[in-house]
Amino acid sequence: MLTSFKLFQHFLKIIFCCVFIINCTSTKEDFDADVIIYGGTSAAITTAVQLKRMNKTVLIVCPEKHIGGLSSSGLGFTDLGNKEVIGGISKEFYQSVYQHYQDEKSWNRQARNEYGNEGQGTTAIDDELKTMWTFEPHVAEEIFENMVKDHDITIIREKWLDREHGVEVKDGKIVSITMLTGEKYKGKVFVDGTYEGDLMAAAGINYHVGREANSVYNEQWNGVQKGVFHHSHNFSDRKISPYIIPGDSTSGVLPYISTAPPGEQGSGDKRVQAYNYRLCTTNAEGNIVPFEKPADYDPAQYELLRRVFLSGRYSMFGGGKIPNKKRDVNNVGPFNSDNIGMNYEYPEASYEKRKEILEQHISYHKGLLYFWGHDESVPERFKKSISKWGLAKDEFKDNNHWPYQIYVREARRMLGDFVMTENEILGRNEVLKPIGMGSYTMDSHNVQRYITEEGYVENEGDLGVDADEPYSIHLGTILPKQEECKNLIVPLAVSSSHIAFGSIRMEPVFMILGQSAGTIAGLAIENDINIHEVTYEELKKKLIEDEQVLEYKKL
């Protein structure tokens, strides 16, 4: 007969064996939370922060290693509009930027009083509101990481959604999402925190890619816009030939020019506005990584740029000043870092195809920089100027100083509960259920480069249409139709027309919509109801309580 001590030992052995068997046979671990967010963008972070403040459990699962999306990947010269309508956690982010640069130690390449105060339509540094709207990429990433740490948010990084079979839907609700590596995550509410709308699409939600015809939503600025130039990114009256032998259409067409007809004025298409990388460059001594020659460099790929130079125009890169003698470099001119026409497949492409597209964009961009600094068509004064610049050595250190995230200006757009159009942006239609505000120009980059009827090269799609006042963004913009899904919120690939998205797509607005998404999810969980059943009155009360701005009051 076993003694009590031996019985106890026997019992421990049984427990140990059970634990050992479970650990050996279970190779995948399931993670459960009230809300599962897929994606690591700025909006994903603000969604999670809001949920934690509402005492909900939340898990971020994302493909990214580095969080923050474009805000921490080069877009440090904020596309802002009217700063008065930026509230809540979005505003907190820019207040954190301000606090960071109050520390003199943050100015290691220039004195604080030497830094200019020029921003996108406003001052870069606002001492009254204690906000700062321009910043270095690593500073943005550090702020997002601090938000995550301060709110005890769990992030599972470098996990890719199985877009074909990884979304389990039952009775109109997502039950779980599964990664390519087999991990399954279950939640009550799900949030698509990607620029591409990958979770939304995999869940079977209807969406649109490309431009709608103006007739679809009774708009003026959507669809094909031949001959409409609101910026300087066009060939205008330079009359540059698109052919290998100038003027000879039988000689073939130069690279990066489409031979397809551009389409009828105002008609819709599947084309997507151009992407690029927002480089962080510097001329600060000791911090410069020279622009490198890509392995597949072919100067013939840039013959069109050579002809632009020969026509007398040399503008190619625009750069907003950010701290420590750095610039957030964007596109300027008719042939620039916007890789027109090379991203059409990206929104719906497989991961493998997207990788190919990204590699092509990187090679194109690096070749452009090298061409600018070395080609014989470039005057010596410009070569000398660019030779003083390079990538910032203290940015993107584990990625050869190249930004982690390409600028996905537009991909899928959900066909949701409410579609924002230019009519709401321009104040023609009232927005009855606002969850935040926007104010930036309806900004579309070039969509195509084509051959005119006269036989010259031209760009199309470059628009910038201003609203008279900030506008409200409708609740239904981030909600799918109820009959399609009852527990998914989409704060980035929102329900809007192409031209309306051109304003909504700004990072401060994405952060605003992320917070609102978190609020909706939190209230739905508290009341044990579907997201569409949250009353607007309760939602509005909570948004205002948490300092979101829902209406614009002129001072």
Side-chain angles (χ1 to χ4, degrees):
M1 192 172 185
L2 294 172
T3 64
S4 297
F5 179 73
K6 287 184 177 180
L7 278 171
F8 179 70
Q9 284 183 315
H10 186 64
F11 176 75
L12 287 178
K13 287 180 181 179
I14 293 172
I15 295 297
F16 175 80
C17 289
C18 289
V19 171
F20 180 79
I21 291 169
I22 290 170
N23 285 338
C24 288
T25 58
S26 177
T27 58
K28 307 297 178 189
E29 185 178 8
D30 290 345
F31 292 83
D32 297 283
D34 290 330
V35 180
I36 307 296
I37 302 169
Y38 180 67
T41 58
S42 59
I45 304 304
T46 59
T47 301
V49 168
Q50 178 64 17
L51 283 161
K52 292 293 284 190
R53 290 179 180 179
M54 295 177 72
N55 297 313
K56 303 297 176 285
T57 58
V58 60
L59 177 67
I60 295 177
V61 186
C62 61
E64 297 92 345
K65 178 180 178 181
H66 297 273
I67 60 173
L70 258 296
S71 289
S72 56
S73 203
L75 209 170
F77 192 70
T78 305
D79 297 319
L80 182 58
N82 190 322
K83 63 192 175 188
E84 294 173 24
V85 299
I86 298 172
I89 300 169
S90 183
K91 184 177 177 181
E92 289 177 26
F93 171 83
Y94 298 102
Q95 289 172 329
S96 295
V97 173
Y98 178 90
Q99 289 301 322
H100 174 86
Y101 287 109
Q102 291 301 297
D103 186 348
E104 291 299 326
K105 295 179 182 177
S106 299
W107 299 89
N108 58 346
R109 299 288 175 181
Q110 68 181 140
R112 187 178 187 276
N113 60 10
E114 290 178 2
Y115 179 65
N117 199 20
E118 174 188 345
Q120 284 274 40
T122 184
T123 52
I125 305 172
D126 191 317
D127 289 309
E128 182 179 345
L129 296 176
K130 299 193 183 304
T131 54
M132 186 166 171
W133 308 95
T134 58
F135 46 86
E136 298 160 278
H138 74 272
V139 171
E141 184 176 5
E142 180 182 310
I143 291 169
F144 286 123
E145 291 288 2
N146 286 338
M147 285 182 170
V148 167
K149 181 179 178 181
D150 292 345
H151 292 85
D152 194 24
I153 297 167
T154 299
I155 303 182
I156 310 297
R157 305 177 198 237
E158 298 182 276
K159 295 297 178 183
W160 299 78
L161 176 68
D162 181 347
R163 288 159 52 193
E164 292 187 14
H165 309 291
V167 181
E168 181 184 355
V169 179
K170 185 177 180 181
D171 299 327
K173 289 186 174 183
I174 299 174
V175 177
S176 66
I177 60 174
T178 302
M179 303 299 109
L180 288 176
T181 43
E183 297 89 350
K184 179 183 288 188
Y185 305 98
K186 300 176 182 178
K188 299 172 184 176
V189 177
F190 291 80
V191 175
D192 188 331
T194 69
Y195 292 117
E196 296 85 358
D198 280 347
L199 176 54
M200 171 196 70
I205 309 303
N206 284 308
Y207 61 86
H208 187 83
V209 175
R211 299 182 286 188
E212 301 90 350
N214 274 325
S215 58
V216 174
Y217 298 120
N218 190 29
E219 295 178 293
Q220 177 184 356
W221 300 109
N222 209 337
V224 176
Q225 298 283 334
K226 292 178 291 186
V228 180
F229 307 122
H230 289 167
H231 301 109
S232 59
H233 313 311
N234 59 285
F235 292 88
S236 190
D237 57 355
R238 293 187 180 276
K239 296 184 177 181
I240 293 176
S241 175
Y243 304 115
I244 293 174
I245 299 174
D248 182 359
S249 61
T250 66
S251 64
V253 176
L254 295 176
Y256 304 110
I257 301 174
S258 172
T259 57
E264 296 298 318
Q265 194 77 349
S267 64
D269 57 24
K270 293 295 183 182
R271 301 179 178 105
V272 179
Q273 62 175 305
Y275 299 171
N276 70 345
Y277 283 89
R278 296 291 287 256
L279 303 184
C280 184
T281 64
T282 185
N283 64 350
E285 187 176 347
N287 200 35
I288 301 169
V289 177
F291 298 127
E292 65 177 352
K293 180 181 181 180
D296 59 351
Y297 178 71
D298 178 6
Q301 293 291 305
Y302 305 97
E303 173 60 26
L304 183 55
L305 179 57
R306 183 180 287 116
R307 293 183 189 183
V308 172
F309 289 164
L310 293 175
S311 76
R313 181 167 185 178
Y314 296 99
S315 296
M316 188 175 70
F317 296 109
K321 292 180 181 179
I322 59 177
N324 288 311
K325 294 187 177 181
K326 296 175 184 175
R327 287 183 181 266
D328 163 4
V329 177
N330 202 6
N331 65 304
V332 168
F335 192 104
N336 54 58
S337 60
D338 274 1
N339 197 1
I340 301 171
M342 303 305 291
N343 62 336
Y344 294 163
E345 294 181 73
Y346 182 90
E348 298 178 290
S350 66
Y351 294 133
E352 293 76 15
K353 182 61 179 178
R354 282 184 185 168
K355 184 180 179 182
E356 291 178 16
I357 293 170
L358 295 179
E359 288 173 350
Q360 189 278 328
H361 275 70
I362 292 170
S363 177
Y364 166 82
H365 203 155
K366 288 182 176 180
L368 202 61
L369 292 163
Y370 189 82
F371 184 95
W372 178 267
H374 297 84
D375 194 77
E376 69 277 1
S377 64
V378 182
E380 284 301 320
R381 67 182 185 279
F382 292 109
K383 290 181 184 178
K384 185 176 181 180
S385 176
I386 198 171
S387 69
K388 298 177 182 178
W389 289 81
L391 301 176
K393 186 184 295 185
D394 57 353
E395 301 289 351
F396 316 120
K397 293 180 181 179
D398 59 349
N399 200 45
N400 294 318
H401 315 289
W402 196 265
Y404 306 119
Q405 170 72 54
I406 196 170
Y407 198 164
V408 179
R409 291 191 171 92
E410 190 169 17
R412 301 182 183 96
R413 300 188 308 281
M414 179 172 64
L415 292 171
D417 221 26
F418 184 94
V419 180
M420 286 285 291
T421 72
E422 69 176 50
N423 298 304
E424 286 72 40
I425 304 289
L426 298 178
R428 298 173 190 147
N429 294 341
E430 185 181 1
V431 174
L432 297 177
K433 296 181 179 180
I435 56 169
M437 300 194 75
S439 61
Y440 196 73
T441 301
M442 289 192 294
D443 178 46
S444 172
H445 283 232
N446 277 309
V447 177
Q448 62 177 323
R449 180 177 290 131
Y450 68 101
I451 301 172
T452 68
E453 293 179 358
E454 295 76 24
Y456 300 112
V457 62
E458 190 50 275
N459 295 336
E460 182 274 320
D462 180 45
L463 301 176
V465 182
D466 292 324
D468 291 335
E469 292 186 350
Y471 59 89
S472 297
I473 301 171
H474 196 284
L475 164 63
T477 305
I478 66 173
L479 300 181
K481 294 176 181 177
Q482 187 169 355
E483 60 268 26
E484 292 187 353
C485 191
K486 301 172 185 176
N487 69 335
L488 174 67
I489 309 176
V490 185
L492 292 110
V494 299
S495 180
S496 74
S497 70
H498 155 74
I499 193 61
F501 191 77
S503 175
I504 296 170
R505 65 181 178 84
M506 304 305 153
E507 288 288 295
V509 179
F510 280 155
M511 286 191 264
I512 289 168
L513 296 181
Q515 179 178 350
S516 295
T519 306
I520 296 165
L523 291 174
I525 291 165
E526 284 178 7
N527 294 294
D528 194 23
I529 56 177
N530 296 330
I531 55 175
H532 296 84
E533 295 171 334
V534 174
T535 67
Y536 181 68
E537 290 72 22
E538 185 178 10
L539 174 61
K540 179 180 179 180
K541 180 181 178 182
K542 181 60 176 169
L543 292 175
I544 292 173
E545 177 184 314
D546 293 335
E547 300 187 353
Q548 289 275 53
V549 180
L550 304 184
E551 61 179 328
Y552 176 63
K553 299 176 182 178
K554 268 188 175 180
L555 298 178

